[in-house]
């Protein structure tokens, strides 16, 4: 913390230092201060996707409904600036889920999977999220496909194993036998 404070005094206009300081504030639970700093960085560096995404992540961490709505705005802005970044698309999907907008969130996860198709490890989170949503919607075959993709990337993933088991149970016995899908 002292190093970052010294760096801020020496170079108060450095976006990198300010970003690192905001991240440190958020990591230490000082979300209000971290978000205020991220908001300033995002407004000054409005042409750069990274500050938008970092600010959105901090809003998601704080988690009020207003923060979730704001995080979606920022992730959409980050995606507009960097349309090939599947992580921003996936996190926008999480913001939509937290607002109860399952179909829209699922569409974001499906898009993130396409964007991250070149890297199965990067597609793991959108596959896991899409699998969970599809379980909730009773789309067991598609949920199983997503959980299999997760297990292909990480064979020891306990949530993907549980999700696949729930999808298979739903396929065998019907939706009433499947408990609520795991949350990622």
């Amino acid at each position: 913390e002292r190093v970052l404070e010294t760096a801020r005094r020496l170079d108060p206009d450095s976006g990198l230092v300010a970003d690192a300081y905001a991240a440190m504030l958020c990591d230490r639970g000082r979300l209000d201060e971290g978000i205020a700093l991220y908001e300033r960085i995002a407004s000054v560096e409005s042409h750069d996707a990274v500050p938008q995404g970092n600010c959105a992540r901090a809003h998601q961490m704080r988690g009020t409904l207003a923060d979730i709505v704001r995080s979606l705005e920022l992730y959409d802005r980050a995606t507009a600036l960097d349309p090939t970044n599947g992580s921003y698309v996936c996190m926008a999907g999480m913001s939509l889920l937290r607002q109860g907008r399952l179909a829209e969130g699922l569409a974001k996860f499906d898009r993130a999977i396409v964007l991250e198709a070149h890297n199965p490890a990067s597609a793991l989170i959108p596959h896991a999220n899409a699998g969970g949503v599809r379980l909730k919607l009773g789309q067991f075959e598609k949920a199983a496909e997503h959980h299999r993709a997760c297990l292909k990337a990480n064979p020891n993933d306990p949530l993907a194993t549980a999700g696949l088991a729930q999808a298979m149970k739903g396929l065998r016995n019907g939706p009433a036998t499947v408990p609520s899908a795991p949350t990622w």
Side-chain angles (χ1 to χ4, degrees):
E1 187 171 347
R2 284 184 183 171
V3 171
L4 286 173
E5 288 175 359
T6 301
R8 283 190 75 204
R9 280 194 300 276
L10 293 173
D11 191 359
D13 297 327
S14 170
L16 288 174
V17 172
D19 188 79
Y21 193 73
M24 185 262 320
L25 290 170
C26 290
D27 289 344
R28 297 209 171 159
R30 295 165 57 186
L31 290 172
D32 293 340
E33 295 171 80
I35 287 171
L37 183 53
Y38 272 136
E39 286 287 354
R40 285 196 300 274
I41 297 166
S43 68
V44 170
E45 298 187 26
S46 61
H47 59 282
D48 189 350
V50 173
Q52 311 307 313
N54 290 344
C55 188
R57 181 182 55 83
H59 277 286
Q60 275 186 331
M61 287 171 65
R62 189 162 59 184
T64 68
L65 181 57
D67 283 310
I68 298 307
V69 170
R70 178 70 176 138
S71 72
L72 180 58
E73 293 169 4
L74 289 161
Y75 280 128
D76 285 345
R77 187 181 310 160
T79 300
L81 293 166
D82 185 359
T84 64
N85 188 318
S87 178
Y88 296 143
V89 176
C90 180
M91 295 308 290
M94 289 301 298
S95 293
L96 288 162
L97 285 190
R98 291 189 64 190
Q99 294 177 48
R101 297 161 63 184
L102 296 182
E104 292 169 272
L106 181 57
K108 293 278 189 184
F109 298 141
D110 288 342
R111 182 166 169 231
I113 290 165
V114 170
L115 290 171
E116 298 296 339
H118 64 282
N119 184 351
S122 294
L124 185 75
I125 292 174
H127 268 300
N129 291 332
V133 172
R134 290 190 188 284
L135 277 175
K136 288 180 182 183
L137 296 174
Q139 299 173 358
F140 301 117
E141 186 61 44
K142 289 186 178 198
E145 291 173 20
H146 287 297
H147 292 299
R148 283 186 191 106
C150 291
L151 290 169
K152 185 176 179 181
N154 181 3
N156 299 318
D157 185 330
L159 291 176
T161 301
L164 180 58
Q166 288 179 4
M168 299 310 291
K169 186 175 183 179
L171 283 169
R172 278 191 313 273
N173 304 326
T177 63
V178 177
S180 180
T183 305
W184 287 271

